[in-house]
């Protein structure tokens, strides 16, 4: 932590350098277990001399006599890297949960829309497969970009790709615009619908 060895022997040095958010719980946990258990462990943060927060696993052995606890001995093990990895994993899991829920909601909306506008089971099958394939292409593009914004041109080209026979009759013009990954999937579906309509009724 960057403190001189002699500092650790000062009264309340440990308490004063436990992170304020963890201090009360760590002190109470240590007080309670030191009177009832020969060994115990706890985790908390301490403040280093340079202001860094350091996570520790505190492994404690209690030395006692007939009157009660005398001394605490043990190890403070730096687990900061592990804690950061756990936090990153939890963040990824929350993001994954959010994206999966959004994707399922989109698929449900696409299914309901297709069902309402289809005149037969065969028509539903063709339209639904096309829309899900378009959604998959957009998600693949988002994955390739690792969550960074996509170019509008890329979304337009992905939408035209299934209709390659008519691509020579389409051109993509305009300023270079980027679309956030949160919006790209929905906008990609819109472009797919426009391309599909152009195949059925328009220039393609």
């Amino acid at each position: 932590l960057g403190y001189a060895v002699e500092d650790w022997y000062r009264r309340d040095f440990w308490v004063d350098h436990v992170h304020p958010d963890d201090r009360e719980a760590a002190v109470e946990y240590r007080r309670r277990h030191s009177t009832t258990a020969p060994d115990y462990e706890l985790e908390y943060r301490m403040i280093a001399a340079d202001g860094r927060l350091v996570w520790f696993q505190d492994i404690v052995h209690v030395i006692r006599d007939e009157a009660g606890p005398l001394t605490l001995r043990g190890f403070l093990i730096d687990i900061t890297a592990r804690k950061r990895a756990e936090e990153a994993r939890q963040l990824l899991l929350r993001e994954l949960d959010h994206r999966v829920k959004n994707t399922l909601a989109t698929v449900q909306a696409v299914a309901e829309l297709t069902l309402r506008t289809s005149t037969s089971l065969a028509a539903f099958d063709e339209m639904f497969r096309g829309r899900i394939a378009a959604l998959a292409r957009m998600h693949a593009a988002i994955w390739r970009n690792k969550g960074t914004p996509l170019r509008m041109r890329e979304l337009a080209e992905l939408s035209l790709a299934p209709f390659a026979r008519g691509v020579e009759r389409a051109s993509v013009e305009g300023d270079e615009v980027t679309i956030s990954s949160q919006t790209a999937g929905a906008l990609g579906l819109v472009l797919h619908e426009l391309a599909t309509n152009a195949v059925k009724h328009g220039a393609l």
Side-chain angles (χ1 to χ4, degrees):
L1 291 172
Y3 300 108
V5 173
E6 54 269 21
D7 289 345
W8 288 87
Y9 290 94
R10 294 207 317 263
R11 182 178 179 84
D12 292 332
F13 178 84
W14 173 80
V15 173
D16 291 341
H17 291 83
V18 173
H19 189 281
D21 291 345
D22 299 344
R23 186 174 299 154
E24 183 178 352
V27 170
E28 174 58 23
Y29 187 94
R30 207 175 230 194
R31 184 198 64 76
R32 186 171 68 253
H33 284 74
S34 293
T35 59
T36 59
D39 302 284
Y40 60 89
E41 298 181 17
L42 66 159
E43 295 180 359
Y44 52 84
R45 293 165 292 176
M46 292 191 73
I47 303 172
D50 60 5
R52 289 179 299 115
L53 293 184
V54 181
W55 272 100
F56 282 112
Q57 179 184 12
D58 194 350
I59 302 175
V60 184
H61 173 64
V62 183
I63 299 173
R64 51 168 41 88
D65 62 8
E66 296 81 4
L70 293 175
T71 305
L72 303 180
R73 289 182 180 170
F75 300 91
L76 286 174
I77 301 174
D78 186 343
I79 58 169
T80 306
R82 191 191 81 194
K83 283 291 186 179
R84 286 177 178 165
E86 289 175 356
E87 289 170 0
R89 184 180 63 194
Q90 288 301 316
L91 180 64
L92 286 173
L93 287 174
R94 287 194 295 271
E95 178 65 18
L96 177 62
D97 179 64
H98 176 70
R99 286 178 180 265
V100 168
K101 286 178 179 176
N102 281 351
T103 301
L104 290 175
T106 301
V107 170
Q108 183 178 7
V110 168
E112 291 174 354
L113 174 65
T114 309
L115 190 62
R116 285 201 305 270
T117 56
S118 298
T119 55
S120 67
L121 187 58
F124 172 86
D125 179 67
E126 180 183 359
M127 195 178 301
F128 186 68
R129 285 176 184 271
R131 286 171 173 169
I132 294 301
L135 188 62
R137 288 194 298 275
M138 302 309 158
H139 277 279
I142 292 168
W143 175 257
R144 285 196 304 273
N145 281 44
K146 297 181 172 59
T148 59
L150 278 75
R151 294 178 302 120
M152 182 72 166
R153 174 179 294 276
E154 183 179 2
L155 288 179
E157 290 171 349
L158 283 170
S159 302
L160 291 168
F163 315 108
R165 63 186 183 276
V167 168
E168 67 276 5
R169 302 185 64 184
S171 60
V172 181
E173 299 177 0
D175 296 336
E176 193 64 34
V177 177
T178 56
I179 309 298
S180 71
S181 58
Q182 291 83 1
T183 308
L187 183 56
L189 277 177
V190 171
L191 293 173
H192 171 77
E193 291 297 312
L194 290 172
T196 303
N197 287 341
V199 169
K200 292 179 179 178
H201 312 293
L204 301 184

